[in-house]
Amino acid sequence: MKLAIPREVNDPRVALTPDAVAKLSELGIEVCVEKGAGQGAFYADDDYDGGTVLDREALLKSADMVLSIHPLPDEDLAKLSPETVVIAEFKPFADAEITDRLRGYKLKAFSLDMIPRTTLAQSMDVLSSMASIAGYKAVLEASRLLPRYFPMMITAAGSIRPATVLVLGAGVAGLQAIATARRLGAQVEAFDTRSAAKEEVKSLGAKFIEIEGAKEDTGAGGYAVEQSEEFLKRQREEVQNRAMKADVIITTAQVRGRKAPLLVPKSTVEQMKPGSVIVDLASSTGGNCELTQDNQTIVHNKVSILGNSNLAALMPQNASQLYSNNVVNFLKILVKDGALNLDLSNEIIRGAYITPAPEANENE
Ligand code: NAD
């Protein structure tokens, strides 16, 4: 089976790193990479020892399976033979038409972001790998923009108090942001609507903000559920009180398949201290801050607001490594003796398989 790794469009990461070539050969998979595919993550074509380097046209034409991070553009999908397997983060929750488009090209698609968030599937969880990097990078980006120290400093010229960081949403990205801000010496407060987050926040040495009345659903696969407008109003008031004292706010609050909840309205930004910074990781789904512009840094009332939901791309080498490791673990269950092992009794494969034809569902 020939696995094609195209060069990502507008992203320096690569979906498979050179160390994976030998591991996949044991599964009967022959790796082909597009010329320059690893360049952005500092992997040369020659590093893919045992693989074949091709131009994009030849790569897509010869592929049995295509692995990428972002979905391929339509012009590339059209070049694939029917029945080709495509693996990427297709995000069908955010793009309602993607599944139909892939079916239209007669492709078999597996969406890595649809793998269930279970203990068994943890080693294949690209969402967690990328969110963790994003949380770490969010703090470093905030420190770059902040006109002051994170840690407490006692110097001959006087003492500096530590920065105060407020983290909204303590999932994978939020927890990594808390840990990173703590390592840099900041005082950290955090909030999440899931009560399970409370102990995790406290174990990292941060203060958990208590807001009564959050809705939870144990059937939501660990994900948060949409809150009532009344709850969100109370939350915004509480955020406002904390925001006025904060130097940095990092927002990561997401509700799968919905617009991100609005937690930091314009009026709150206008009460923040001059020079303070907001990093909004929910910017691609509308942002947790009312003023966030996706993929931009703006300044409003002397507050910098950075909107970026793809901060993992700023650390392309480790991001590619972790993505690649996750994918190798997924391929270990998806491929057997060099052929697709479409075992729909496996909940990981069933969760990721987004294009089953109705009749295939019954027969396979
Ligand atoms: P996410 O990116 O979907 O959302 C980020 C955080 O925002 C979540 O913690 C969510 O609860 C929070 N949030 C939503 N609305 C909010 C609001 N109004 N105010 C404050 N916070 C709000 O989350 P994620 O990081 O992808 O994690 C989702 C869940 O999956 C978590 O429970 C996490 O522990 C779980 N998880 C499990 C595994 C596993 O077992 N393999 C792996 C990763 C994540």
Side-chain angles (χ1 to χ4, degrees):
M1 168 177 278
K2 281 196 173 148
L3 171 66
I5 313 297
R7 190 177 177 148
E8 295 293 318
V9 180
N10 296 327
D11 194 316
R13 292 173 295 170
V14 62
L16 200 82
T17 49
D19 57 307
V21 176
K23 294 180 199 161
L24 294 184
S25 140
E26 286 169 20
L27 300 175
I29 297 175
E30 192 188 326
V31 173
C32 302
V33 291
E34 181 179 348
K35 205 171 171 340
Q39 207 172 47
F42 301 90
Y43 297 110
D45 291 344
D46 287 350
D47 294 340
Y48 287 87
D49 195 19
T52 311
V53 179
L54 297 169
D55 67 31
R56 197 171 183 96
E57 195 77 18
L59 181 90
L60 298 175
K61 281 216 164 107
S62 62
D64 301 307
M65 190 181 258
V66 183
L67 167 67
S68 59
I69 299 173
H70 300 285
L72 292 184
D74 275 56
E75 62 191 84
D76 287 336
L77 292 176
K79 288 177 186 152
L80 300 174
S81 314
E83 299 297 303
T84 303
V85 173
V86 283
I87 304 174
E89 283 188 53
F90 289 107
K91 303 199 169 142
F93 270 102
D95 179 353
E97 287 157 18
I98 185 80
T99 307
D100 285 343
R101 285 218 316 280
L102 293 164
R103 273 209 200 101
Y105 292 113
K106 301 190 167 47
L107 301 171
K108 288 193 158 125
F110 294 85
S111 195
L112 295 167
D113 53 298
M114 295 300 285
I115 290 178
R117 312 293 287 274
T118 58
T119 310
L120 207 62
Q122 230 162 358
S123 65
M124 309 165 200
D125 187 352
V126 294
L127 289 181
S128 289
S129 299
M130 297 306 114
S132 182
I133 295 176
Y136 167 81
K137 256 312 198 195
V139 173
L140 299 189
E141 287 297 292
S143 75
R144 182 175 62 83
L145 293 166
L146 193 70
R148 64 183 323 282
Y149 273 123
F150 261 54
M152 179 170 81
M153 285 286 170
I154 298 172
T155 79
S159 298
I160 308 272
R161 66 161 180 82
T164 303
V165 176
L166 174 62
V167 177
L168 300 173
V172 181
L175 290 173
Q176 191 54 250
I178 294 169
T180 307
R182 291 285 301 143
R183 281 185 211 118
L184 277 178
Q187 284 178 343
V188 185
E189 310 188 294
F191 176 69
D192 198 294
T193 47
R194 291 177 301 107
S195 53
K198 181 175 172 176
E199 286 313 311
E200 292 170 324
V201 166
K202 282 167 63 180
S203 73
L204 292 171
K207 185 177 167 196
F208 189 78
I209 303 168
E210 305 276 355
I211 305 171
E212 297 284 302
K215 237 191 308 174
E216 292 195 62
D217 179 1
T218 46
Y223 287 101
V225 291
E226 206 167 25
Q227 302 296 320
S228 67
E229 193 40 48
E230 190 268 324
F231 174 84
L232 287 173
K233 185 165 169 278
R234 266 192 294 130
Q235 187 181 354
R236 283 195 287 269
E237 282 163 12
E238 192 56 44
V239 168
Q240 174 137 335
N241 295 337
R242 312 274 168 168
M244 288 190 297
K245 295 180 204 135
D247 298 296
V248 171
I249 302 182
I250 293 176
T251 70
T252 76
Q254 309 249 32
V255 180
R256 197 153 88 139
R258 301 280 157 100
K259 192 175 178 306
L262 173 60
L263 308 179
V264 186
K266 182 169 174 247
S267 55
T268 297
V269 176
E270 288 174 351
Q271 297 202 39
M272 289 177 71
K273 291 185 286 191
S276 47
V277 177
I278 298 173
V279 178
D280 191 341
L281 299 188
S283 61
S284 67
T285 49
N288 294 137
C289 171
E290 188 177 357
L291 299 172
T292 296
Q293 305 274 325
D294 194 23
N295 296 324
Q296 282 185 46
T297 302
I298 61 152
V299 179
H300 180 84
N301 218 29
K302 302 194 171 115
V303 175
S304 300
I305 306 169
L306 186 158
N308 194 327
S309 294
N310 199 25
L311 282 181
L314 293 188
M315 224 169 79
Q317 198 166 63
N318 284 159
S320 302
Q321 253 166 19
L322 296 177
Y323 192 96
S324 175
N325 290 348
N326 289 145
V327 168
V328 168
N329 289 327
F330 179 59
L331 290 174
K332 281 182 185 163
I333 61 164
L334 188 68
V335 175
K336 208 172 169 186
D337 302 327
L340 183 69
N341 175 33
L342 192 53
D343 173 11
L344 293 178
S345 67
N346 181 319
E347 65 161 5
I348 298 171
I349 294 180
R350 200 171 57 242
Y353 189 32
I354 57 168
T355 52
E359 65 277 14
N361 224 351
E362 282 157 27
N363 299 337
E364 278 174 319

